[in-house]
C-alpha cells in the first residue's frame, strides 16, 4: 500500500517568499490594469457618452405627451431617410454621434488646484517670514530670505495633510548658514516645530552638501503591542520598536487578531558585542521598570537573571522563585550580598575561561550560560548605604561592568533623571548602550545619548516611549512592548495573561532554601531577601 505524503510545513523563509511573490503579483496586476485603462480610455469615454445620450433620449421620450409622439416619430423617420439619401450621410452621422458621445462622456471631475490654496499659502508665507532672521545676511547681494519676499523660491516642496497642516516640507537655505553647528540647527528645529504644530513629532534631515532641510511629520509608534516571544537568536534582545526607515529588519508579531511585521531595535550582547551593558534613564512612570521586565522575560529563555530592585515597589515580584531567577533583592543587605556574589562569579568565570584557553580546551559549560544583572534605581541603595556606613552597591558593579563581556555577564541599570548625579563613574563609562524614556527635555536626551535626536520630542507620550542609541550608532525612536506587572490590580486581563505565559515555571522545592551565593551560576538557587537580612 502506497504511503500518503505528509503535509509540508511552511517555514519562515518560504512564508516570506510566498508573501513577496503575492505582493509582486498584486503589483503586476495593478500595473496591467492601469496600462489597460490608459489604452482603452477613448473607448471607455465614448461608451459612457453613448449611455448618457441613450438615457437622455429615453427621458425625452417619457416626457413627450402621447398626442405628440406620432409626429415626433414621423420627424425622426424623415431625418433618418434624409441622412440615408445624402452623399456620405451615414458616415457623417456616425462621426457626429461619436463626437457627441465623446463630448458627453468626458471626465467632468474638476482638476485639482495647482499649488496651495489661500490658507495654505498664508501658512507658508508666515513660516517664511519667521525664518528670515535666521537665514538672511546683511552682506548678501541676492538674499534668498528677505522681509516681504516670496516663499516659492525658498520652499522646494511642500505637502499638507487633511487637516490643512504641514506634512512634508523641503527648505532651501543659504550656504553661509552654519548648519554644521548644533545650536543654530536646534534653533531652526525649535522654530519649525512651533510654527508647524507642537502636538506632532517631526524628523529633520539636514543636507549640508545641498543646503536643504527636509521636514517630515512622523506617525506615532504603536503603543499597544503586548509582550510576546520574539523571533530572535540567543544574545539578541528586543528593546522596542522603531520607524521602518531606520532599520533593515522586521519581526513578525501578534497584534490583536492580526500578524504584522514591525521593525525592532535589537540589542546584541555577548563576547563579540561592542555595547555589552545598558543604561536606562527616565522620569517616574516613563516605563523604565517595564523595559527591565521585558528584558528579563526575554533573557530567561537562555540565561540566568539577578534582579536588584531599589524602588521597593514590588515591580519584579512575579519573577521570584522562577527557573533561572537567582534572586529578587529589595533590601540593602540582599542587594549587597547579591552584587558581591555577582562580582565574585565574574572573577571565577574569568579565571575558568583563562585556564581553559591556556590548556587549549573550550570554555567550561557553566561559563557559557549568560548571567544578567538587572539593577533598578541603585541611587536608593547608595543613600541607604551612606546613612548606614556601608559600601555603595554600585562599587560592586565595577567588576561585572569592566570584565562582563569576556565573562558573558551583562549589566542593565535603570535610574531616574532626578538621581542621575548619584550614578557612579563605572556605570557611566561602561554602559555604551543607552535608552531614554518619557517626555525628557532635548538637553537631557543629548546628555544621556551623547548626540541630539533627529526628531522633536512631544510633551505627552505614552509609557515606554523614548529614544535608544547603541554605542556610536544613530538615535532611534523607541516604543517598549507593553509588559506590565501581572500582580498589579490596574493591569488588564489580556496583558496579565500575556506576561504570565512568558514567565518560566516555578523552581523546585529546593530552590526556596537559602544557599551560598559563592557557588557558580549553574548551581545557584534563589535566595530570599529576608534570609539575607537575617544572616547579616
Amino acid at each position: 500500500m502506497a504511503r500518503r505524503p505528509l503535509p509540508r510545513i511552511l517555514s519562515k523563509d518560504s512564508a516570506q517568499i510566498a508573501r513577496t511573490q503575492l505582493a509582486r503579483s498584486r503589483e503586476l496586476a495593478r500595473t496591467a490594469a492601469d496600462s489597460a485603462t490608459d489604452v482603452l480610455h477613448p473607448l471607455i469615454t465614448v461608451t459612457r457618452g453613448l449611455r448618457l445620450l441613450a438615457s437622455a433620449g429615453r427621458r425625452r421620450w417619457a416626457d413627450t405627451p402621447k398626442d405628440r409622439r406620432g409626429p415626433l416619430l414621423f420627424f425622426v423617420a424623415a431625418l433618418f431617410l434624409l441622412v440615408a439619401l445624402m452623399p456620405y450621410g451615414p458616415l457623417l452621422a456616425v462621426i457626429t454621434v461619436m463626437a457627441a458621445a465623446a463630448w458627453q462622456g468626458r471626465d467632468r471631475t474638476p482638476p485639482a488646484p495647482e499649488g496651495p490654496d489661500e490658507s495654505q499659502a498664508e501658512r507658508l508665507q508666515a513660516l517664511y517670514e519667521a525664518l528670515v532672521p535666521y537665514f538672511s545676511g546683511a552682506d548678501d547681494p541676492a538674499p534668498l530670505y528677505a522681509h516681504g519676499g516670496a516663499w516659492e523660491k525658498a520652499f522646494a516642496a511642500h505637502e499638507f495633510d487633511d487637516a490643512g497642516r504641514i506634512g512634508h516640507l523641503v527648505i532651501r537655505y543659504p550656504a553661509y548658514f552654519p548648519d554644521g553647528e548644533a545650536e543654530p540647527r536646534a534653533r531652526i528645529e525649535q522654530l519649525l516645530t512651533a510654527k508647524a504644530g507642537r502636538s506632532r513629532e517631526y524628523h529633520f534631515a539636514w543636507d549640508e552638501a545641498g543646503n536643504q532641510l527636509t521636514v517630515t511629520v512622523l506617525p506615532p509608534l504603536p503603543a499597544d503591542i503586548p509582550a510576546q516571544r520574539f523571533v530572535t537568536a540567543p544574545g539578541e534582545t528586543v528593546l522596542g520598536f522603531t520607524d521602518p526607515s531606520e532599520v533593515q529588519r522586521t519581526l513578525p508579531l501578534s497584534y490583536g487578531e492580526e500578524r504584522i511585521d514591525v521593525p525592532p531595535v535589537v540589542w546584541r550582547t555577548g563576547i563579540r558585542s561592542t555595547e555589552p551593558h545598558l543604561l536606562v534613564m527616565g522620569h517616574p512612570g516613563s516605563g523604565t521598570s517595564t523595559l527591565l521586565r521585558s528584558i528579563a522575560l526575554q533573557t530567561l529563555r537562555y540565561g540566568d537573571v539577578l534582579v536588584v530592585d531599589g524602588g521597593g515597589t514590588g515591580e519584579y515580584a512575579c519573577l521570584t522563585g522562577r527557573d533561572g531567577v537567582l534572586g529578587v533583592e529589595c533590601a540593602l543587605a540582599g542587594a549587597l550580598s547579591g552584587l558581591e556574589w555577582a562580582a565574585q562569579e565574574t572573577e571565577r568565570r574569568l579565571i575558568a575561561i583563562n585556564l581553559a584557553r591556556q590548556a587549549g580546551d573550550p570554555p567550561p559549560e557553566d561559563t557559557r550560560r549568560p548571567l544578567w544583572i538587572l539593577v533598578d534605581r541603585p541611587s536608593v541603595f547608595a543613600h541607604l548605604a551612606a546613612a548606614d556606613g556601608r559600601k555603595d552597591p554600585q562599587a560592586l558593579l565595577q567588576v561585572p561592568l569592566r570584565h562582563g563581556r569576556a565573562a558573558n555577564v551583562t549589566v542593565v541599570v535603570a535610574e531616574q533623571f532626578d538621581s542621575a548625579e548619584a550614578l557612579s563613574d563605572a556605570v557611566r563609562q561602561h554602559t555604551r548602550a543607552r535608552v531614554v524614556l518619557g517626555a525628557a527635555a532635548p538637553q537631557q536626551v543629548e546628555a544621556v545619548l551623547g548626540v541630539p535626536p533627529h526628531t522633536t520630542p512631544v510633551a505627552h507620550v505614552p509609557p515606554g516611549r523614548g529614544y535608544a542609541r547603541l554605542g556610536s550608532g544613530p538615535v532611534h525612536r523607541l516604543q517598549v512592548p507593553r509588559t506590565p506587572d501581572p500582580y498589579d490590580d490596574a493591569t488588564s486581563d489580556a496583558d496579565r495573561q500575556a506576561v504570565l505565559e512568558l514567565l518560566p515555571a516555578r523552581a523546585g522545592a529546593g530552590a526556596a532554601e537559602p544557599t551560598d551565593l559563592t557557588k557558580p551560576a549553574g548551581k545557584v538557587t534563589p535566595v530570599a531577601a529576608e534570609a539575607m537580612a537575617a544572616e547579616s
Side-chain angles (χ1 to χ4, degrees):
M1 181 176 180
R3 295 183 180 180
R4 296 181 60 186
L6 294 176
R8 181 175 178 268
I9 300 177
L10 194 63
S11 63
K12 176 185 175 183
D13 296 336
S14 58
Q16 182 67 24
I17 295 174
R19 287 195 296 268
T20 304
Q21 292 177 352
L22 180 60
R24 189 178 303 169
S25 302
R26 290 177 179 176
E27 185 65 24
L28 291 175
R30 190 180 298 110
T31 303
D34 295 340
S35 302
T37 303
D38 295 338
V39 172
L40 301 177
H41 181 70
L43 180 60
I44 295 173
T45 302
V46 172
T47 305
R48 188 189 305 117
L50 291 175
R51 187 174 65 253
L52 294 176
L53 291 176
S55 300
R58 285 195 302 269
R59 288 194 303 270
R60 179 64 178 172
W61 177 260
D63 296 341
T64 303
K66 293 183 178 181
D67 55 346
R68 295 184 180 179
R69 291 183 179 180
L72 180 61
L73 286 176
F74 177 76
F75 176 76
V76 172
L79 182 62
F80 272 101
L81 180 61
L82 179 63
V83 170
L85 295 177
M86 287 178 57
Y88 303 103
L91 179 60
L92 293 177
V94 171
I95 293 175
T96 304
V97 172
M98 292 295 104
W103 176 258
Q104 290 293 330
R106 71 188 187 278
D107 189 6
R108 302 174 183 269
T109 304
E114 297 182 0
D117 55 18
E118 184 177 356
S119 61
Q120 295 174 355
E122 292 179 357
R123 184 183 292 269
L124 292 175
Q125 185 64 31
L127 183 59
Y128 172 83
E129 294 290 341
L131 293 173
V132 169
Y134 301 94
F135 287 155
S136 61
D139 300 333
D140 192 350
L144 182 61
Y145 289 84
H147 292 288
W151 58 266
E152 289 83 357
K153 296 181 179 180
F155 300 154
H158 54 81
E159 294 179 4
F160 291 85
D161 57 9
D162 297 336
R165 299 180 299 179
I166 295 176
H168 179 76
L169 188 63
V170 179
I171 302 175
R172 297 173 55 197
Y173 57 88
Y176 52 78
F177 177 76
D179 52 3
E181 301 178 7
E183 294 183 1
R185 293 170 59 160
R187 288 196 298 266
I188 297 299
E189 294 175 0
Q190 183 179 5
L191 173 64
L192 293 175
T193 303
K195 291 298 182 181
R198 295 183 180 273
S199 60
R200 298 179 297 172
E201 194 167 3
Y202 301 89
H203 180 269
F204 298 96
W206 291 85
D207 183 9
E208 292 86 351
N211 297 326
Q212 286 187 351
L213 170 61
T214 303
V215 185
T216 307
V217 178
L218 296 175
L221 295 175
D224 53 350
I225 296 180
Q228 53 192 284
R229 294 195 182 278
F230 303 118
V231 183
T232 56
E236 293 183 345
T237 305
V238 177
L239 300 179
F241 310 102
T242 184
D243 299 304
S245 59
E246 297 295 330
V247 295
Q248 303 293 330
R249 176 180 178 181
T250 58
L251 289 180
L253 301 178
S254 298
Y255 189 71
E257 298 180 355
E258 302 178 356
R259 296 284 294 180
I260 60 175
D261 292 336
V262 181
V265 178
V266 179
W267 174 39
R268 294 174 176 83
T269 57
I271 299 178
R272 294 177 177 84
S273 174
T274 57
E275 303 88 18
H277 308 296
L278 177 67
L279 175 62
V280 184
M281 299 293 297
H283 292 288
S286 60
T288 55
S289 300
T290 300
L291 178 56
L292 263 64
R293 197 161 36 242
S294 175
I295 292 175
L297 293 178
Q298 297 180 58
T299 55
L300 284 174
R301 298 166 56 186
Y302 56 87
D304 298 323
V305 176
L306 173 64
V307 181
V308 178
D309 183 14
T313 57
E315 293 282 345
Y316 310 96
C318 60
L319 300 175
T320 304
R322 302 285 180 173
D323 287 337
V325 180
L326 305 180
V328 179
E329 309 297 344
C330 302
L332 177 60
L336 290 173
S337 301
L339 294 179
E340 184 177 0
W341 169 84
Q344 296 176 359
E345 172 65 13
T346 304
E347 296 175 351
R348 185 198 68 81
R349 291 190 175 202
L350 287 175
I351 296 174
I353 294 174
N354 188 22
L355 293 177
R357 289 177 178 175
Q358 291 179 3
D361 299 331
E365 187 66 27
D366 58 355
T367 63
R368 297 180 181 179
R369 185 171 177 82
L371 172 62
W372 288 70
I373 305 173
L374 308 182
V375 184
D376 192 0
R377 299 199 64 187
S379 60
V380 177
F381 287 133
H383 176 72
L384 295 177
D388 201 15
R390 296 190 180 187
K391 182 189 298 185
D392 186 0
Q394 295 186 73
L396 300 173
L397 289 175
Q398 185 172 1
V399 174
L401 286 170
R402 180 172 297 180
H403 306 286
R405 180 175 62 177
N408 211 0
V409 178
T410 304
V411 179
V412 180
V413 179
E415 190 53 82
Q416 298 181 3
F417 279 109
D418 53 3
S419 303
E421 66 278 356
L423 292 175
S424 63
D425 294 337
V427 174
R428 298 173 184 270
Q429 294 174 3
H430 297 284
T431 52
R432 289 177 45 83
R434 302 289 181 88
V435 172
V436 177
L437 298 179
Q443 295 79 9
Q444 293 176 327
V445 177
E446 183 178 1
V448 176
L449 302 182
V451 294
H454 295 292
T455 61
T456 55
V458 294
H460 303 285
V461 295
R465 175 67 176 82
Y467 298 95
R469 188 188 185 203
L470 304 179
S472 58
V475 179
H476 300 289
R477 287 203 307 167
L478 181 70
Q479 178 62 52
V480 178
R482 198 174 60 225
T483 316
D485 182 11
Y487 296 163
D488 191 358
D489 296 337
T491 304
S492 63
D493 295 337
D495 293 341
R496 180 181 295 107
Q497 186 64 26
V499 175
L500 291 178
E501 289 179 356
L502 296 178
L503 288 172
R506 292 283 183 180
E513 301 177 359
T515 43
D516 188 5
L517 282 178
T518 58
K519 294 181 180 180
K523 302 179 180 180
V524 172
T525 53
V527 182
E530 292 79 7
M532 287 295 177
E535 292 179 1
S536 61

